[in-house]
Amino acid sequence: MNWRDYWNQDTPIYTGERHKVLHYRLIANDIIGLIPSPDAAVLDYGCGEALFADKIAAKCARLILSDAAPLVRERLNERFKINERITVLSTDDVADLPDASFDLVVVNSLVQYLSLDEFRALLKLAHDKLKDDGRLILGDIIPPDISPVTDARALLSFAWQGGFLRSALTGLARTAFSDYRKIREEVGLAQYSEEEIVDLLEDAGFRPERSLRNLGHNQARMTFVGRPAQAREIKDDLTER
């Protein structure tokens, strides 16, 4: 089993329905805060179940939800089929979208499941699809010095605040014996330092900046903003003239 196969099924990664709902509500609110205008076109790449995508779509002109797992896309299509602002695509189909068509591209909690080559290809794809003044958001990047214990503490803190501590404790025990732990040990999770992410973004043609806050509940992880470098070069050239 690889990560794509793993996510194409019901998984124990959420400790219960309340955990899932609060997680996706928090992510949706974080994304809403990043939308530059009501006319914006937004791409959520590797979106997962995106339970509150309708809330995001209400704040922009167009929202593309993209995920690699057929089961996830099937559920998204069923949930949002009457919302004309939302389109559901596979991650492979994103390449066929027009270049320079998005104001915001969000990639949250996905990079850890990609190989380095896949990550580089994704950065190039995002650069192609963004407008010159658009932004790429890379969320939930795992630094090399973080441990599963740190993640567990962040989850328990989130659970305490969200009122699902008992199910979180049970869920952590269940995850310890699940396929998630097995595949994590066999395939691993990609981890990057801040310097490595900055270098990768610059190599892909972005001006990188680390956000003060990570998307979601786990502030031990990192979020980065990438702006197409070409936009700055054009502005600098106009200023000189």
Side-chain angles (χ1 to χ4, degrees), residues 13 73 111 126 135-136 139 238:
I13 195 66
R73 296 197 302 273
V111 171
R135 287 184 297 167
L136 167 66
L238 290 173

Side-chain angles (χ1 to χ4, degrees), residues 62 93-102 128-130:
R62 182 169 60 117
D93 289 338
V94 172
D96 297 327
L97 296 173
D99 288 349
S101 58
F102 288 100
D128 290 343
K129 301 309 172 186
L130 276 170

